[in-house]
């Protein structure tokens, strides 16, 4: 059987894969698993529930709240807020757990349900599997005063904004910043907090109607942000995704600043301030080799994990590191949050620009990004990618041809019969030729 939970909760097509019935069963099961310790101690479990602005989030959040309350959980429905805001409020309000309804950067028809444990942390795989196993089981239904109550709590945005401003190391007076909210969960929060921090704000993609989330705006569509930054003569642009757990940036010259460059800028800044614990940055194996080379020059160690912000976070929590993230723009600042936070990341970037007086494009030149090519090889037996001798020999030959000035990575998809071939090299042409050659070997050897 395939696993119900993916790398970031339960996600799929709303009202087809993610139904009211599923939301009810999932929330009831979560109430029993996550609320069990409170109930055993004689306390009523409490949950924070938030969502992004997708139309389907309206009926799905109603189902989640109903399921939780029917299982004896008191619900604080905080409405439309970013994922990191729900994680923060789960901890700040002392809730037993949190629930976020969002499909992040996916198109509007999709939606998803993810949970945060007490303290606002993502759930381990074992706990997610326990929730899935509890679905559909018989349970004793509370009666009378024992049923949960649902509270419409609209103070969450103000608490989250205050938290972000408190984390800000330097005001943004004098900066002009374009904010692209992806017509998503940060559409109200991000412009507000940047203005309160002193910036002049230009808004695009901040008018959600339930149907337009991620539609031509946000971190997966930077064209409009680039045009707005250049047209308004702004100092920088900040792009969020639908649930605002990631951030990409655009400089005044219209050049994109990706997640690796953002991490490099923030790592140097934190090191200067004595806040980069163990002088270590945590990144995934997909981060550009240029990031590793830049951090070595700056005297900063890089720990690499598997792909996924949950693995970055696990490594950070295990060793107490303060900064980690992914090339996609998920950046975790563990001193201020328990998950990737695109609004916080954007604030920290803008604060660095304000503090140094240097354009973000200049700050990003701390690292040289090597050309990177990714080829998805479909319809293959991904389970044999690490054991096939011919594939292994092809990888070794390719690495030898790069003479230490590039990198080869073969990775199996977590959800599809796909092998991802990633090559970095000194030139785009060399990276493309090497990746295509390896992809041909993978297809020939592993075809289903």
């Amino acid at each position: 059987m395939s696993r119900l939970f993916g790398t970031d909760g339960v996600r799929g097509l709303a009202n087809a894969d993610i139904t009211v019935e599923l939301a009810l069963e999932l929330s009831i099961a979560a109430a029993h698993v996550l609320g069990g310790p409170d109930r055993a101690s004689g306390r009523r479990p409490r949950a924070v529930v938030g969502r992004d602005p997708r139309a389907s989030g309206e009926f799905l959040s109603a189902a989640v709240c109903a399921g939780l309350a029917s299982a004896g959980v008191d619900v604080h429905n905080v409405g439309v807020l970013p994922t990191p805001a729900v994680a923060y409020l789960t901890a700040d309000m002392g809730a037993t757990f949190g629930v976020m309804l969002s499909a992040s950067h996916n198109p509007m028809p999709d939606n998803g349900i993810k949970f945060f444990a007490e303290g606002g942390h993502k759930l381990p795989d074992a706990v997610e599997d326990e929730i899935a196993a509890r679905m559909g089981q018989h349970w004793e239904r509370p009666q009378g005063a024992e049923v949960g109550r649902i509270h419409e709590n609209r103070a969450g945005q103000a608490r989250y904004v205050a938290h972000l401003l408190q984390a800000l190391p330097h005001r943004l007076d004098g900066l002009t910043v374009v904010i692209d909210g992806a017509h998503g969960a940060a559409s109200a929060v991000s412009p507000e907090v940047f203005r309160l921090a002193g910036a002049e704000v230009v808004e695009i993609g901040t008018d959600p109607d339930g149907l337009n989330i991620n539609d031509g705006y946000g971190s997966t569509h930077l064209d409009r942000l680039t045009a707005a930054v250049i047209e308004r003569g702004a100092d920088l642009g900040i792009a969020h995704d639908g649930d605002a757990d990631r951030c990409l940036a655009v400089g005044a010259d219209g050049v994109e600043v990706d997640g690796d460059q953002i991490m490099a800028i923030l790592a140097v800044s934190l090191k200067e301030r004595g806040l980069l614990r163990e002088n270590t940055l945590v990144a995934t194996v997909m981060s550009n080799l240029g990031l590793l080379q830049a951090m070595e020059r700056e005297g900063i160690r890089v720990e690499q994990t598997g792909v996924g912000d949950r693995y970055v976070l696990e490594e950070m929590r295990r060793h107490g590191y303060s900064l980690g993230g992914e090339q996609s723009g998920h950046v975790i600042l563990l001193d201020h949050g328990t998950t990737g936070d695109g609004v916080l990341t954007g604030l920290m970037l803008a604060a660095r620009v304000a503090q140094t007086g240097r354009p973000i494009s200049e700050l990003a030149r701390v690292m040289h990004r090597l050309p990177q090519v990714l080829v998805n090889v479909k319809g293959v037996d991904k389970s044999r990618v690490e054991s096939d001798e011919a594939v292994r020999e092809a990888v070794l030959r390719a690495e030898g041809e790069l003479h230490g000035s590039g990198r080869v990575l073969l990775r199996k998809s977590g959800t599809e019969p796909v092998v991802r071939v990633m090559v970095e090299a000194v030139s785009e042409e060399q990276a493309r030729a090497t990746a295509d050659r390896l992809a041909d070997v993978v297809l020939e050897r592993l075809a289903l």
Side-chain angles (χ1 to χ4, degrees):
M1 287 182 61
S2 61
R3 191 167 179 268
L4 176 64
F5 284 84
T7 55
D8 201 18
V10 182
R11 191 178 295 185
L13 182 61
N15 223 21
D17 306 312
I18 309 299
T19 62
V20 165
E21 293 83 0
L22 175 69
L24 275 168
E25 288 292 339
L26 195 59
S27 57
I28 290 167
H32 293 140
V33 173
L34 301 177
D38 270 9
R39 214 172 270 111
S41 303
R43 296 189 298 267
R44 288 171 70 94
R46 294 191 303 140
V48 173
V49 177
R51 66 179 182 89
D52 72 22
R54 294 166 205 266
S56 59
E58 297 168 3
F59 68 79
L60 289 172
S61 64
V64 167
C65 291
L68 294 176
S70 74
V73 177
D74 287 337
V75 177
H76 290 267
N77 183 6
V78 297
V80 175
L81 279 178
T83 289
V86 172
Y88 167 74
L89 291 169
T90 299
D92 187 56
M93 296 170 63
T96 313
F97 60 96
V99 189
M100 179 68 185
L101 292 105
S102 175
S104 188
H105 58 281
N106 285 26
M108 182 278 294
D110 289 353
N111 216 324
I113 305 170
K114 55 187 168 187
F115 297 92
F116 293 102
E118 188 174 14
H121 295 285
K122 289 189 175 183
L123 303 184
D125 289 352
V127 177
E128 290 180 338
D129 290 340
E130 186 180 355
I131 292 172
R134 288 290 295 268
M135 292 175 63
Q137 291 187 5
H138 175 76
W139 54 288
E140 295 295 328
R141 297 173 181 270
Q143 307 292 319
E146 296 304 310
V147 301
R149 306 297 299 273
I150 300 175
H151 308 277
E152 300 296 323
N153 186 332
R154 294 299 179 260
Q157 178 169 320
R159 294 173 77 152
Y160 176 57
V161 166
H163 157 70
L164 293 173
L165 291 171
Q166 190 174 27
L168 193 65
H170 195 285
R171 283 188 57 81
L172 311 183
D173 300 279
L175 289 187
T176 299
V177 182
V178 181
I179 302 292
D180 182 349
H183 294 307
S187 294
V189 170
S190 193
E192 177 188 0
V193 73
F194 271 83
R195 286 191 178 101
L196 289 171
E200 179 183 340
V201 175
V202 178
E203 298 183 38
I204 66 171
T206 57
D207 189 22
D209 61 10
L211 307 177
N212 59 359
I213 190 169
N214 299 319
D215 187 8
Y217 288 87
S219 59
T220 54
H221 305 278
L222 293 178
D223 291 351
R224 285 188 171 96
L225 178 62
T226 300
V229 167
I230 293 172
E231 179 187 342
R232 298 298 293 266
D235 295 286
L236 73 156
I238 299 294
H240 303 301
D241 59 339
D243 70 337
D245 64 353
R246 73 172 70 180
C247 163
L248 294 179
V250 171
D253 54 2
V255 175
E256 176 187 338
V257 179
D258 72 7
D260 283 341
Q261 293 167 306
I262 290 170
M263 287 190 288
I265 293 168
L266 296 184
V268 171
S269 174
L270 289 173
K271 184 186 178 191
E272 285 181 6
R273 295 159 55 204
L275 298 176
L276 186 67
R277 282 199 288 281
E278 304 296 328
N279 274 347
T280 297
L281 166 69
V282 182
T284 77
V285 293
M286 292 299 288
S287 275
N288 194 279
L289 179 60
L291 175 64
L292 278 62
Q293 295 170 340
M295 294 298 93
E296 184 177 8
R297 289 193 300 270
E298 295 292 331
I300 295 171
R301 192 163 61 95
V302 178
E303 289 286 350
Q304 290 189 279
T305 73
V307 177
D309 61 330
R310 67 162 53 198
Y311 304 114
V312 172
L313 181 58
E314 285 173 6
E315 182 71 9
M316 293 175 69
R317 292 182 66 191
R318 187 179 299 119
H319 299 285
Y321 301 137
S322 51
L323 178 65
E326 297 185 284
Q327 190 182 63
S328 60
H330 285 107
V331 177
I332 303 168
L333 292 140
L334 201 54
D335 287 340
H336 306 292
T338 58
T339 187
D341 189 330
V343 183
L344 176 63
T345 302
L347 285 169
M348 292 297 189
L349 272 178
R352 182 63 170 170
V353 172
Q355 179 229 328
T356 61
R358 297 164 61 193
I360 192 170
S361 299
E362 180 183 328
L363 293 172
R365 286 201 287 272
V366 67
M367 70 166 277
H368 171 67
R369 184 169 49 186
L370 271 68
Q372 186 180 81
V373 172
L374 179 66
V375 178
N376 292 321
V377 187
K378 301 179 180 179
V380 294
D381 180 2
K382 63 184 180 182
S383 67
R384 294 194 292 118
V385 68
E386 294 166 357
S387 60
D388 187 89
E389 191 62 33
V391 171
R392 185 185 297 119
E393 289 177 1
V395 169
L396 290 174
R397 282 196 303 273
E399 289 175 335
E401 292 168 3
L402 294 174
H403 304 295
S405 61
R407 190 165 63 111
V408 174
L409 178 67
L410 268 61
R411 184 172 69 87
K412 52 191 176 186
S413 167
T415 56
E416 308 169 87
V418 169
V419 170
R420 309 193 196 284
V421 178
M422 189 273 284
V423 177
E424 291 169 345
V426 173
S427 70
E428 177 86 22
E429 294 75 16
Q430 185 182 22
R432 171 60 63 186
T434 304
D436 287 342
R437 189 167 67 250
L438 283 173
D440 288 342
V441 175
V442 170
L443 185 60
E444 178 185 344
R445 296 290 301 178
L446 308 182
L448 291 173

